[in-house]
Protein backbone atom coordinates (compact mmCIF):
# COMPACT_ATOMS: atom_id res chain seq x y z
CA UNK A 1 0.00 0.00 0.00
CA UNK A 2 1.28 3.43 -0.96
CA UNK A 3 0.99 6.33 1.52
CA UNK A 4 0.47 9.75 -0.02
CA UNK A 5 -0.43 13.22 1.19
CA UNK A 6 -1.47 14.30 -2.30
CA UNK A 7 -5.19 14.18 -3.05
CA UNK A 8 -6.72 13.42 -6.41
CA UNK A 9 -6.41 16.12 -9.05
CA UNK A 10 -9.34 18.38 -9.70
CA UNK A 11 -9.68 19.39 -6.06
CA UNK A 12 -8.12 22.85 -6.35
CA UNK A 13 -5.26 23.50 -3.94
CA UNK A 14 -5.89 20.20 -2.15
CA UNK A 15 -4.66 18.46 -5.30
CA UNK A 16 -1.30 20.21 -4.99
CA UNK A 17 -0.28 18.54 -1.76
CA UNK A 18 1.28 20.45 1.11
CA UNK A 19 4.51 21.17 -0.77
CA UNK A 20 2.65 22.71 -3.68
CA UNK A 21 0.52 24.86 -1.37
CA UNK A 22 3.62 26.10 0.45
CA UNK A 23 5.38 26.88 -2.81
CA UNK A 24 2.36 28.83 -4.07
CA UNK A 25 2.13 30.79 -0.81
CA UNK A 26 5.85 31.57 -0.82
CA UNK A 27 5.71 32.70 -4.46
CA UNK A 28 2.76 34.97 -3.66
CA UNK A 29 4.58 36.55 -0.70
CA UNK A 30 7.70 37.14 -2.80
CA UNK A 31 5.64 38.73 -5.59
CA UNK A 32 3.94 41.04 -3.09
CA UNK A 33 7.28 42.06 -1.58
CA UNK A 34 8.74 42.82 -5.03
CA UNK A 35 5.67 44.83 -6.04
CA UNK A 36 5.90 46.83 -2.80
CA UNK A 37 9.61 47.53 -3.33
CA UNK A 38 9.02 48.64 -6.92
CA UNK A 39 6.17 50.95 -5.92
CA UNK A 40 8.35 52.52 -3.20
CA UNK A 41 11.17 53.08 -5.67
CA UNK A 42 8.85 54.68 -8.22
Amino acid sequence: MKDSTVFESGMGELGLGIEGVLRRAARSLIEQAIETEVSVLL
Side-chain angles (χ1 to χ4, degrees):
M1 187 166 147
K2 181 179 158 186
D3 292 334
S4 177
T5 58
V6 178
F7 295 95
E8 295 297 320
S9 62
M11 294 182 69
E13 287 193 355
L14 290 177
L16 293 175
I18 190 69
E19 184 177 334
V21 172
L22 292 174
R23 284 179 190 254
R24 180 178 285 178
R27 183 176 292 127
S28 177
L29 288 174
I30 292 168
E31 288 174 0
Q32 290 175 10
I34 291 171
E35 289 174 5
T36 301
E37 289 293 321
V38 168
S39 68
V40 168
L41 290 173
L42 297 178

